[in-house]
């Protein structure tokens, strides 16, 4: 099945087959990073622009490395030193980048739906690198890629997602991707951090961490976003760690080979202990490595789709 979308905006908008195509393409690109010369000419002559309205380390650098390994030229725009500070709108910024003949905009924005709005306005490709509380599709794709690489499948796996579900775009993208591929997903958090009617997406919910971990093949630990705490509604940090933190003692009650994942940045001693984060069950750094292959696949596929559409117009 060929890829036909010029943009990647979220896993909600993809079919099971499209998600599998990205994962298969990523698998073929992963070998590139093991070479002495870590480059292929797949996007030679193309320009990718990192447009980040929020701070980022892993995602921005991962996209930059991915684009460069495909031989694309990369431009990083720091909005705090750009015309955004002078009042330029997102649409005007996007149109100017398009007028400069860039091919792909990789965008992180604090407003949900910002990537969708930009994609509808521009002819060039837009890749969502996280928008508000909405989605973070490439993070979920690299999470799923890592699970499949380590466990050989997704269908039938029991995956627990633990932490600040309410504010997590990573959780939402993982829910869409994992359920479409046939995994059983359990969300675990204090009740105040479980979105209303989230079960309608096909997941189970729990406020009991030991119950959520009991039969899990993997646990994806989310950062507690205390900066979003309005009205001091969040639990105290130490109280949260006591009740929901992933510790060695808690992990000992779970399946022996349970995988421990985290999208980063890690808050040690709040949602996860250092012993678990650095332990034998952790695949956190493998997720970072796999992010390069996944983002190479995404950039390659959206660029190919846009090129194909231009030739048929």
């Amino acid at each position: 099945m060929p890829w036909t979308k010029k943009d990647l905006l979220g896993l909600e908008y993809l079919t099971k087959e499209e998600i599998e195509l990205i994962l298969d393409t990523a698998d073929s690109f992963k070998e590139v990073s093991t070479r002495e010369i870590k480059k292929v000419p797949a996007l030679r002559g193309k320009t990718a622009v990192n447009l980040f309205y929020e701070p980022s380390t892993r995602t921005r650098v991962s996209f930059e490395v991915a684009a460069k390994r495909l031989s694309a030229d990369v431009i990083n725009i720091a909005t705090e030193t750009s015309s955004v500070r002078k009042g330029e709108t997102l649409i005007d910024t996007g149109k100017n980048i398009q007028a400069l003949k860039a091919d792909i905009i990789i965008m992180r924005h604090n407003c949900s739906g910002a990537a969708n709005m930009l994609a509808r306005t521009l002819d060039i490709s837009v890749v969502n690198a996280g928008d508000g509380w909405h989605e973070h599709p490439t993070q979920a794709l690299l999470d799923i890629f890592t699970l499949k690489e380590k466990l050989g499948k997704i269908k039938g796996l029991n995956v627990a997602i633990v932490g600040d579900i309410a504010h997590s775009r990573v959780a939402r993208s993982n829910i869409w991707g994992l359920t479409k591929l046939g995994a059983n997903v359990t969300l675990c958090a204090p009740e105040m951090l479980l979105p209303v009617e989230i079960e309608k997406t096909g997941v189970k919910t729990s406020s009991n961490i030991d119950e959520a971990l009991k039969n899990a093949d993997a646990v994806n630990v989310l950062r507690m976003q205390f900066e979003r705490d309005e009205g001091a509604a969040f639990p105290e940090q130490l109280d949260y760690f006591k009740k929901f933190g992933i510790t060695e003692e808690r992990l000992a009650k779970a399946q022996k080979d349970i995988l421990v994942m985290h999208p980063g940045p890690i808050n040690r001693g709040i949602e996860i202990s250092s012993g678990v984060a650095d332990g034998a069950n952790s695949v956190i750094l493998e997720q970072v490595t796999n992010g390069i292959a996944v983002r190479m696949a995404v950039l390659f596929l959206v660029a190919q789709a846009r090129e194909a559409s231009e030739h048929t117009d």
Side-chain angles (χ1 to χ4, degrees):
M1 182 199 78
W3 180 269
T4 59
K5 292 179 168 65
K6 80 172 182 72
D7 310 300
L8 178 70
L9 304 175
L11 300 196
E12 179 182 0
Y13 316 113
L14 301 187
T15 64
K16 171 179 177 285
E17 291 73 24
E18 287 170 330
I19 294 171
E20 289 175 337
L21 177 58
I22 296 173
L23 298 176
D24 290 344
T25 307
D27 192 48
S28 67
F29 275 130
K30 186 167 181 182
E31 178 269 335
V32 173
S33 294
T34 66
R35 300 178 186 177
E36 185 176 349
I37 299 175
K38 301 175 176 63
K39 277 203 173 189
V40 291
L43 294 187
R44 182 181 293 162
K46 304 289 186 185
T47 300
V49 176
N50 273 329
L51 179 63
F52 278 58
Y53 288 78
E54 286 185 330
S56 173
T57 302
R58 276 157 302 278
T59 302
R60 187 189 62 76
V61 173
S62 181
F63 266 115
E64 182 173 357
V65 171
K68 287 181 175 179
R69 288 191 180 167
L70 293 168
S71 300
D73 297 313
V74 181
I75 298 169
N76 291 303
I77 298 179
T79 56
E80 65 270 17
T81 57
S82 74
S83 293
V84 170
R85 292 292 299 272
K86 300 176 182 179
E88 185 171 75
T89 68
L90 171 61
I91 296 300
D92 284 337
T93 298
K95 285 182 176 179
N96 277 276
I97 292 171
Q98 179 170 275
L100 292 169
K101 303 303 179 184
D103 300 283
I104 305 170
I105 293 177
I106 301 153
M107 188 178 75
R108 170 166 289 186
H109 202 283
N110 58 351
C111 293
S112 299
N116 298 53
M117 180 176 69
L118 196 64
R120 290 195 301 269
T121 306
L122 303 181
D123 296 323
I124 64 176
S125 296
V126 175
V127 174
N128 183 6
D131 61 328
W133 301 350
H134 176 226
E135 281 217 44
H136 191 350
T138 58
Q139 179 65 51
L141 287 165
L142 71 89
D143 292 345
I144 294 167
F145 183 91
T146 304
L147 281 173
K148 189 175 181 182
E149 183 179 64
K150 301 296 289 187
L151 300 177
K153 63 175 184 176
I154 299 298
K155 188 175 182 179
L157 290 182
N158 297 317
V159 180
I161 302 176
V162 179
D164 187 358
I165 310 294
H167 301 102
S168 177
R169 53 194 172 207
V170 173
R172 284 170 177 78
S173 288
N174 265 284
I175 289 166
W176 288 116
L178 288 167
T179 55
K180 286 181 181 185
L181 295 178
N184 305 308
V185 179
T186 299
L187 309 179
C188 183
E191 287 188 14
M192 68 185 75
L193 297 177
L194 288 171
V196 177
E197 298 186 335
I198 192 69
E199 293 90 347
K200 289 184 178 180
T201 61
V203 302
K204 295 179 180 179
T205 61
S206 174
S207 294
N208 184 316
I209 184 64
D210 295 318
E211 180 183 283
L213 293 179
K214 185 178 179 182
N215 297 310
D217 298 295
V219 55
N220 202 339
V221 189
L222 304 178
R223 180 177 70 88
M224 285 294 292
Q225 300 183 42
F226 287 102
E227 73 276 9
R228 303 189 190 274
D229 190 2
E230 298 172 2
F234 279 27
E236 292 291 328
Q237 294 185 16
L238 290 178
D239 187 54
Y240 178 83
F241 185 64
K242 180 180 178 182
K243 294 179 180 176
F244 291 92
I246 307 302
T247 62
E248 295 95 318
E249 295 77 19
R250 198 153 262 153
L251 213 61
K253 302 175 187 176
Q255 293 192 56
K256 181 182 177 182
D257 297 324
I258 186 173
L259 298 183
V260 176
M261 312 177 79
H262 197 303
I266 297 172
N267 288 321
R268 295 168 184 260
I270 296 179
E271 70 262 0
I272 191 170
S273 69
S274 288
V276 173
D278 302 326
N281 296 76
S282 173
V283 294
I284 295 171
L285 293 180
E286 291 177 60
Q287 290 172 263
V288 176
T289 300
N290 287 336
I292 297 171
V294 166
R295 288 169 175 133
M296 287 175 72
V298 167
L299 295 175
F300 172 75
L301 290 170
V302 298
Q304 291 288 99
R306 179 179 172 242
E307 203 167 89
S309 68
E310 287 177 342
H311 291 155
T312 57
D313 286 346

